Amino acid sequence: MKIAFFGTGDFSANILKSLVTDFKGDVDIKLVVSQPDKPVWRKKILEKTPVKIVAEENNIECLQPNKLRENKEFFEKLKFLDLDFIVVVAYGKIVPKEVLEAPKYGCINIHWSILPKYRWASPIQEAIKAGDKKTGLTIMYMSEGMDEGDILAIEEVKIWENDKTPDLFKKFEEIWPKLLVDTLKWVLSWKIKGEKQDDLKASYCSKIKKEDWEVSFENETWEQIYNKFRAYYPWPGIYTYFKDKKLNLEDVELIDYNWEKNIWEVDRLSKKEIGIVCKDNKILLLKQVKLEWKKSMDILSFVNGNKDFLEYKFL
């Protein structure tokens, strides 16, 4: 199967790497398309995208057009390659109609939810934050509407109570290359055809905003707070305020503990355990924190330098 692969970041690069190494006999990657390299650090040195690095390591041509729409030279390149499929994984740009129609059998996209639930950005974080017990990978035809294409295949994945965002990505990495290749084969052999989504059942998630990271002990339950931590770990993390200074809760754990103290108060549970008292015998055990303008530190070191943190009440 002759394909072009569109992607940019680490997760896209992992899929490309698997296609190249594990499925070389099934797919012939004629072209890789990635976003342009971006300047980083103070010296503004251009840094290659992870997908471009994988492409170069495997001697695959990589194009990085600034724009796709009305890019005649790029369209002609796609036509010349006589592609069976274009596979798009977290590319980061809108793919115009001319590109969608370039391959013989369609433009295929991988989405990290069970569509039509959680269309658009951050579907993994949204599922964890909502306390869902399962999510999944959806492979679909791309359309001009964002995540609205006909569904080709879905594989469900369980979300355990302590799973964080990296845990789900790891689970997805174990299944997505084979699921993708199998789906392409099924399309070619007419074993499956796209199934329309029910737009009435669609839900949406937006890009993660700064206000999403903040924890409100007064307005959120212990479950909502812990789910938010799991969803936004390790980036962007969650934070609250300690004496008007931003306090990042970098690592926490939720435990059952029969502790009859004031709700949302910081208490020492043992010599090495410090946590925030929640409702229903739950304790948000603090492990690593970072106060605004200070370095990250373990909770015991933080308390040693901030004695008034003990018995502090978050409101």
Side-chain angles (χ1 to χ4, degrees), residues 123-138:
I124 291 179
Q125 290 89 341
E126 198 69 24
I128 295 175
K129 193 170 71 168
D132 291 354
K133 303 303 180 186
K134 69 176 182 179
T135 183
L137 277 181
T138 298

Side-chain angles (χ1 to χ4, degrees), residues 7-10 13 16-17 32 34 37 47-60 62 64:
T8 298
D10 288 325
L16 177 59
K17 194 181 299 182
V32 167
S34 186
D37 299 334
E47 184 177 82
K48 297 178 182 179
T49 70
V51 163
K52 181 179 181 178
I53 292 171
V54 174
E56 289 182 344
E57 288 174 348
N58 292 277
N59 299 313
I60 303 171
C62 181
Q64 297 174 281

